[in-house]
Amino acid sequence: MTAPVSRADRLARAADPGHVSAVVAAGPAHSAGSLPVGSPGKVGVLDLDYRVDADGRTVLADRYQKSPLQVMRPLYVDPLLPHVPVTYLMSTGGGVVGGDRLDIDVRMADRSHSVITTQAATRIHRMDAGFATQNVTLTLGAGAVCEWVPDPLIPYAGSRFQQRLRATVPEDAVLVVSDVLTAGRVARGERWAVDALVSQVEITRPDGTPMVVDTTRIVGGRGAGVGAGQTGPDDDMVTGGSDAIGTLFVLAPGLAADLAAAMRAAIGSGVGVSRGEVSRGEVSCGVSTLPEGCGAWSRVVGGSPEAVEAAVRAVWSAAREHVLGAPAPDLRKG
């Protein structure tokens, strides 16, 4: 059994995000009047432990939270899977600012199942100095199911942010990871105007074998300093002139080709974004199997964040019905 970690050690780990991409850390480190890293409210910690109770229901058995991260009591709002809790991640601040260090650790016991989302979109504010980070660690037990489906990320002009999700998934477990990245406050003329944004997903087996390694880098704002594998608002080679990029990874036992076919069929079957569906003409979507037949993944680009978010949800719902026998639940945020 792993020795318990003291609160002081846990906070120290959260304050040190590990390797930070040079493009994110390239800005000025300090500015007059800014709170340094480690100040009250700057290091957010959220630890969630899920287990299965005697009635077969997954419960949030233990948690530790430190502002600005917090959760309320999970809700059982899925009528087809009433034993599955939906947990809403919240922030006590108005968004992510320079110097923030956010660290989330989710542990799923054997055969547990949880849906984890956010209360609203995450806004990354302009940073005159410093940068912000978010590290997410998901550890799944045998036969566990974890659905990580946060709302979109909205990076403001001049922001510098790195997020990294690392997950450990046994062969008989199911993991869903979605990510929707928007161009920012487009109505204010801030289309892809971030200074630097790096989003990384790393998924491995318990023995360390990598299944997914995916990195998105957007550097330079307004097209300045754009290099290989990077994009700014004037570089349509990567974004295709789109205002949002959505990604969905699904790791699950079974035939990956059948899962990919179910996900692919979800795009183009809808009749309107207002119903949580989307027609193919509003987005461009690709679906492919993952290495070693461990699952499938999809990437979506589109002219509006609403269309991309609806497309990602449609693909998630189709994958969920294929793997778990139930479509995506109404997360009740409206």
Side-chain angles (χ1 to χ4, degrees):
M1 179 178 294
T2 304
V5 178
S6 70
R7 297 304 188 210
D9 289 344
R10 182 66 182 90
L11 291 175
R13 192 194 90 180
D16 180 6
H19 174 73
V20 176
S21 174
V23 298
V24 173
H30 304 287
S31 69
S34 64
L35 292 173
V37 176
S39 299
K42 302 294 290 179
V43 179
V45 176
L46 186 60
D47 292 346
L48 306 176
D49 283 275
Y50 293 93
R51 302 171 195 166
V52 180
D53 67 12
D55 297 323
R57 188 176 74 159
T58 296
V59 297
L60 180 56
D62 193 17
R63 71 176 177 184
Y64 170 61
Q65 60 189 34
K66 181 181 180 298
S67 182
L69 293 176
Q70 67 176 22
V71 298
M72 302 300 286
R73 184 187 300 275
L75 302 177
Y76 295 83
V77 296
D78 189 341
L80 298 180
L81 298 177
H83 62 287
V84 175
V86 178
T87 304
Y88 297 85
L89 277 58
M90 295 177 285
S91 173
T92 57
V96 178
V97 299
D100 280 359
R101 301 290 184 266
L102 309 178
D103 196 282
I104 301 170
D105 196 343
V106 178
R107 292 175 287 273
M108 306 291 304
D110 295 352
R111 297 176 300 282
S112 61
H113 182 180
S114 182
V115 177
I116 304 172
T117 186
T118 51
Q119 185 184 38
T122 299
R123 290 167 170 77
I124 313 299
H125 290 274
R126 178 183 182 89
M127 298 169 190
D128 294 327
F131 57 89
T133 63
Q134 175 174 278
N135 283 341
V136 178
T137 303
L138 310 176
T139 305
L140 278 64
V145 180
C146 181
E147 300 178 79
W148 177 267
V149 286
D151 282 347
L153 193 72
I154 305 176
Y156 289 10
S159 58
R160 290 181 293 277
F161 180 65
Q162 175 175 298
Q163 66 175 2
R164 185 181 187 188
L165 183 145
R166 289 172 287 185
T168 302
V169 186
E171 292 186 9
D172 62 349
V174 175
L175 174 67
V176 175
V177 171
S178 78
D179 180 56
V180 176
L181 171 63
T182 73
R185 298 183 294 181
V186 177
R188 295 174 61 94
E190 295 183 0
R191 184 173 181 269
W192 301 118
V194 298
D195 275 3
L197 187 146
V198 176
S199 179
Q200 301 170 305
V201 175
E202 303 170 10
I203 305 174
T204 66
R205 294 301 190 200
D207 64 0
T209 302
M211 294 289 103
V212 172
V213 178
D214 183 74
T215 301
T216 299
R217 288 171 29 126
I218 300 174
V219 178
R222 305 198 178 277
V226 176
Q230 304 167 6
T231 182
D234 299 324
D235 185 355
D236 291 340
M237 294 297 290
V238 176
T239 66
S242 300
D243 285 342
I245 303 171
T247 307
L248 182 79
F249 295 102
V250 182
L251 273 72
L255 190 60
D258 290 345
L259 172 60
M263 294 166 62
R264 192 175 294 113
I267 301 299
S269 62
V271 294
V273 172
S274 63
R275 289 179 53 188
E277 301 169 334
V278 62
S279 62
R280 184 181 295 273
E282 294 176 276
V283 299
S284 296
C285 177
V287 177
S288 181
T289 56
L290 290 170
E292 306 296 331
C294 68
W297 74 295
S298 174
R299 181 152 286 157
V300 183
V301 296
S304 77
E306 293 82 8
V308 170
E309 187 178 8
V312 170
R313 178 181 170 82
V315 176
W316 167 41
S317 187
R320 195 177 199 259
E321 191 158 15
H322 180 81
V323 175
L324 303 175
D330 180 2
L331 297 179
R332 303 187 181 184
K333 301 179 186 180

